[in-house]
Every structure is written in structure tokens, then in C-alpha cells.
Amino acid sequence: MVLLQNQIFLLILIIALGELLGKVNIRNLALGPSAIIFVALAFGHFGFILPEGIQDIGLAMFIYAVGLQAGPGFISSFRSHGLPMGVGVLVMAAIGTAATFACCRFFGFDAGIGAGLLSGAMTSTPSLAVAVETVGHGSAPAAYGVTYGFGVIGVAVFIKVLPRLMRVDISAEEESLDRELAEINPPITYHHIEITNPNLFGKRVADIFLKSIAPVTISRLLRMGASEPVLVGADTVLQEGDRLRVVGRPSDLEKVELFIGKPVAGEIAFDRVLTKKSITVSKREISGTTLGFFNFREAFNVQVARITRNGIDLPADANTRLHLGDVLHAVGDERSLRNITRILGNDLKATYEVSLLPILLGLLFGFMLGQVTLPLPLVGPLTLGTTGGTLIAGLLLGARYQTGPLIWDVPMAGNRLIRDLGLALFMAAVGTSAGVSFVETLRSHGLPLLLSGAVVTLAPVAVTAVIGLRWLRIRFLRLLGMLVGGMTSASGLAAAGSLSATSYAPAAYATVYPLALIGKIIAVKVLLLIL
């Protein structure tokens, strides 16, 4: 018992027991990281409380990591899928408000209880702040305390069972979304094209302005009658009957075929001198530099055909800025490729190293953003708070990638560690805090409040899940992110992450979170007006 008074020991014990409980699998259903809060509630009930600061730093770490991961694709994701998901979030807020109003009328709750019920069941601390500001410090915080626990747990459990309820195959969804992504960002390939356009005969490659037609690269040239190819540079002179290997996306290759000549079969193979090599950018001082800066073709007689980043092939454009972990697919002689390897690093292990300073500065930036108050029409002053501030900081810095020598991006393994550790800290602290008054508050306010909290938590996610999948046509993995984002539920996002390791759910979560934050504040204001 003495050890349990040590808060560090208590914290580690709760997380360890929660991780063990989360691995218990019953009929292919496991709680995962969300089990930590169940253990924390039990410890809190017996008077073992963790400091509130652990909750704040844990939540900040978790949300910041989510923002960093979603940042690079946030704008494109919102443009592609944002409108249906935005509608879904507003539907959730409306259903939550209607369900709360019905419970208040049925059980006779006053406006304060109703505002706390809506805030707690939909896990919105900013909404509680608005409620307290409007109705005072009486009944709203108490109702929030009773309903918040189920709000956290209920969403996580619902997300875990939703694939079964909707009869969705997660693996098939991942493959389908991967195909959709491949259509948006088709893989780089190559065509062999024979020059038949007379306007190109005798012209230098630099003088035909091929890049103005499409972002492609001519990587090899086989002269008519020759048996070995040569690398192509800006000064290479094109002749009738030359066969070119042109690298690019399929639609772009079709465009340049019309300009250059006719497609041909067969392979343009390297001779014993030329070879190809995949080189990983691992030196931090290289990150952020454009490919054109190195002038590999002229300086080393090496042609970069394409770049692979996070599993997606990109054209080897001179203006493309290199990121840590980029893989350059290069062609040249062995000695030149060794020189380029020394320049870029090609140390895969180095790409997993995590620098602590950018993470700390990013978190500080998020905490400062959280203090900013925005005057919004109808809503009034809105303070983003720790969650909103760190999410926006993560989104901005993740999209920015680099500022001077600081690289904001965190390797996937490091990002997952920060995210999981932050979530564990958050759930351990919030669980012990809720556990202290959980039973007593139930006795004071009765079972109706707990039942109402379950209704207000589950009704929005259940109804919106059906609407989102059937009518809004939101893909299931994005739907998971939209549902937990609409509930601003960190534990729900963790549950979604346990179903699929892809970034679709976190990206959707980050896309809708700001709208959900504002939407639930408006919902509380509307509820107080109609009550």
C-alpha cells in the first residue's frame, strides 16, 4: 500500500494492468488501450488519484501526434471528403442535442443538468465551460462527471463492435481505400517510345520542353542499331528511331506518347557498366533541399527516375523537396551511385531516429495556441484549449514539415510511441479522477442520469454511422474517424486505431475535429435556450 502512494508507481501500475486487460480477447473482441480507463476507475474509486497535469500532458502528446500524422494530407482530405464528413458531424451535434432535450423532459432535469449531461456524454470540456459560464458551478459539473465516464468508454466500445454490427470487413476496406488512393496518386511507371515525330529529329532534350507537356523523365535511350542504352541528359540529341524509356504516371505517359512517337515493346536493358539503385535520404541536413539543387545528371552522370515517399511514387521533378525517408530510384555507373549514396546517407536506421527538441517546441506552440481566444459570431468567445491548440499545431507543423534546421515530422514508429504513451497517460489520469466521485454522484443524481448519458453518447454515433455509410457514402475507415472526431473522443480514436493501422481514421478525425469543437459549443447554447 505504501508503494501505491507513490504517484509514478501508481501511474505505471495502472497503465501496465490496463495494457494486460486490453489484450484479453473474448470472441475476437478486445478492449485494447481503452482498458486502461477501466483499471483507473477502480483505483480512483478507492481513493488513489493521479495529478491532473498528467491528463493534460498525455492528451497534448496524443492529439499532437495525431495532428502531425494527418497534417500533410489534411487539406487534400478535406477537399476530397470534408463536406460529407462535415455534414455528419453537424448531424451528430443535432442528434445529441435532441436526445438531451428528450431526456430532460422525460426525467425532469433542469437546464444545468441538461447542459452537463450533453457536455459529459459527448466528452466536450469546452462545452462544459460554456455551460458553467451560463448556469453557474452547480449541477452542470456534477452531471458532467456522471456521464463523462460512459462517454469515454461507450464510444470506444461502440467503435470496437461497429464493424460487426455493420458487417464490414476491415481488410477489404483497407484494400479498397488503398486502390482509391492509388487512383488519386497513381504509381510511377514507364513506357518505351520510339521517336517518330520529325520535329524532334536533331533536337536536344532541353529544347523540346517535355516538362511543359507532363512531369515525366527520360531515363534511358537506345540508339537504332545499338545494343546498349545510354543515360539521357539535357544535351542529349534525339534522332529518328531512337527508343526512349520515359518515366511518369500513366496518364502523363499517354500525353507524351502523342508528342514523341509510338509505343514499342521490349526491354531497354543496362549494359555491364550501368546499374540501378534505390537510395534512402537519411541525412537531416539534406532534408528540405530540392532535387535540382544536386544536379545529379550533370555532376555525376546519374539519372533519378522517380522518388518514393511513404509508399507513394512521385515524379523526379527538379523542384521536388527531399524529405527524410524518401527513396530515390537512380540509374548510373556503380562509382557515381556510391558517391550519391554518401551524399544522401542511405542509412535506413537513421530515418527512425527521433529528435526531442522539435517535439517539445511543437507542444509548446500547441499550448500557446490553446490560450488564444477567438470571438465567434453567435457562439461568443472560444478558447481552443489544450486539445484544440495542440491539434492545430500538429496539423500546421506536419504540413510545414521543416523550418530551418528543425524537422517537425516524426518517423512513424516514433509518432506511434508518442501517441500511445500520451493516450495511456490521459486515460489513467482521467479515469482515477472520475472514479472518486463516480459512485457517490450516481447515488446523488440517480440512475436516470446515467441512462440518459448512455443514450446521449450512443444515439449520435449509432444514427450517424448509418447515415454516413448509407446516405453520405463515407468510406468505413473514414467514417470511424469522423464519428470519434465528432465526439472529440481520444479513446475512440485509439479504438479505431486498434482496428486498422492505416492513417484514414486519424486523418478524418483531424479533419472534422475543429468543426466538432465549435458545433458542440453551439449545441449547448441552443439546449440552454430551449430549456
Side-chain angles (χ1 to χ4, degrees):
M1 293 297 291
V2 175
L3 275 176
L4 293 179
Q5 302 303 320
N6 185 312
Q7 292 179 335
I8 300 300
F9 177 84
L10 178 63
L11 173 65
I12 296 173
L13 179 62
I14 291 173
I15 294 175
L17 292 177
E19 286 289 331
L20 289 172
L21 179 61
K23 294 184 183 300
V24 175
N25 193 309
I26 301 175
R27 295 185 178 181
N28 295 323
L29 179 62
L31 290 173
S34 303
I36 295 172
I37 200 166
F38 288 94
V39 177
L41 282 169
F43 275 89
H45 174 68
F46 291 104
F48 299 103
I49 313 300
L50 291 170
E52 186 177 345
I54 293 177
Q55 173 183 332
D56 293 337
I57 188 61
L59 187 59
M61 290 169 60
F62 175 77
I63 296 298
Y64 180 68
V66 169
L68 277 182
Q69 183 182 10
F74 174 73
I75 298 298
S76 60
S77 176
F78 193 84
R79 288 173 179 169
S80 303
H81 321 289
L83 182 58
M85 291 194 296
V87 171
V89 166
L90 295 179
V91 168
M92 290 180 72
I95 294 173
T97 305
T100 305
F101 179 78
C103 290
C104 288
R105 284 288 181 258
F106 186 79
F107 291 112
F109 298 147
D110 61 22
I113 290 288
L117 165 62
L118 178 59
S119 302
M122 298 195 75
T123 62
S124 176
T125 306
S127 299
L128 176 65
V130 172
V132 169
E133 183 182 24
T134 306
V135 300
H137 293 269
S139 54
Y144 176 88
V146 171
T147 56
Y148 182 83
F150 185 85
V152 173
I153 298 167
V155 173
V157 173
F158 182 84
I159 292 298
K160 294 285 287 186
V161 301
L162 187 59
R164 286 188 172 188
L165 295 175
M166 305 294 288
R167 297 180 180 178
V168 174
D169 185 337
I170 295 295
S171 298
E173 277 294 305
E174 290 175 341
E175 293 175 3
S176 178
L177 281 168
D178 288 342
R179 287 195 298 270
E180 179 183 298
L181 184 63
E183 292 175 1
I184 298 173
N185 295 287
I188 301 294
T189 185
Y190 63 85
H191 285 186
H192 291 152
I193 308 174
E194 182 177 323
I195 299 177
T196 59
N197 182 357
N199 296 318
L200 305 183
F201 301 164
K203 294 285 186 66
R204 296 187 314 139
V205 170
D207 296 332
I208 67 173
F209 303 107
L210 198 59
K211 297 280 187 180
S212 64
I213 301 175
V216 297
T217 301
I218 302 176
S219 63
R220 314 178 200 174
L221 180 150
L222 182 65
R223 298 287 186 192
M224 182 183 294
S227 59
E228 297 176 352
V230 296
L231 291 175
V232 177
D235 294 325
T236 301
V237 178
L238 304 177
Q239 299 174 7
E240 182 180 2
D242 286 348
R243 294 190 172 189
L244 308 175
R245 170 173 283 195
V246 186
V247 180
R249 303 195 190 281
S251 59
D252 294 327
L253 293 174
E254 292 176 2
K255 294 179 184 177
V256 298
E257 273 184 6
L258 299 174
F259 177 65
I260 295 176
K262 62 180 183 180
V264 291
E267 177 61 58
I268 301 179
F270 297 117
D271 62 14
R272 60 182 179 275
V273 177
L274 295 180
T275 187
K276 57 183 178 180
K277 187 173 184 179
S278 298
I279 306 171
T280 302
V281 178
S282 63
K283 290 188 176 180
R284 291 186 175 271
E285 60 269 25
I286 297 300
S287 180
T289 307
T290 62
L291 181 63
F293 171 82
F294 297 100
N295 197 16
F296 287 138
R297 178 62 187 90
E298 303 302 321
F300 296 94
N301 196 34
V302 169
Q303 180 73 55
V304 178
R306 58 191 170 92
I307 300 171
T308 301
R309 177 179 299 162
N310 296 327
I312 297 175
D313 288 331
L314 305 173
D317 189 82
N319 296 318
T320 299
R321 294 191 177 274
L322 300 179
H323 288 189
L324 277 178
D326 283 356
V327 179
L328 275 61
H329 302 274
V331 179
D333 67 78
E334 190 65 36
R335 186 174 59 180
S336 296
L337 290 174
R338 284 199 301 269
N339 290 332
I340 291 177
T341 298
R342 282 194 289 268
I343 292 173
L344 299 179
N346 201 36
D347 183 359
L348 189 61
K349 182 180 178 181
T351 63
Y352 287 91
E353 294 178 355
V354 178
S355 178
L356 193 58
L357 180 60
I359 296 172
L360 295 175
L361 292 177
L363 287 170
L364 288 173
F365 179 44
F367 276 107
M368 289 189 291
L369 282 179
Q371 302 304 309
V372 175
T373 300
L374 304 174
L376 297 180
L378 302 177
V379 180
L382 170 64
T383 301
L384 293 175
T386 301
T387 307
T390 50
L391 176 65
I392 292 175
L395 289 172
L396 292 175
L397 297 179
R400 174 72 177 176
Y401 181 76
Q402 182 179 23
T403 303
L406 295 175
I407 298 175
W408 305 110
D409 186 44
V410 177
M412 186 62 67
N415 183 287
R416 191 171 187 85
L417 176 62
I418 296 168
R419 191 175 66 185
D420 290 350
L421 179 59
L423 181 66
L425 295 174
F426 164 73
M427 289 195 293
V430 76
T432 57
S433 298
V436 175
S437 58
F438 188 72
V439 174
E440 183 58 36
T441 308
L442 276 179
R443 290 172 181 166
S444 301
H445 294 275
L447 188 59
L449 184 56
L450 182 61
L451 293 175
S452 298
V455 170
V456 177
T457 294
L458 296 177
V461 290
V463 176
T464 308
V466 176
I467 293 174
L469 203 59
R470 300 281 171 81
W471 286 284
L472 296 178
R473 302 293 181 183
I474 301 173
R475 303 301 295 268
F476 187 76
L477 293 179
R478 294 195 182 102
L479 178 69
L480 293 180
M482 185 209 77
L483 292 175
V484 297
M487 295 294 287
T488 58
S489 173
S491 59
L493 182 56
S498 68
L499 294 173
S500 172
T502 61
S503 63
Y504 299 115
Y509 178 95
T511 300
V512 303
Y513 184 92
L515 180 60
L517 187 74
I518 297 172
K520 286 192 285 188
I521 289 174
I522 295 175
V524 168
K525 286 182 172 287
V526 170
L527 180 69
L528 291 173
L529 286 174
I530 61 178
L531 286 176

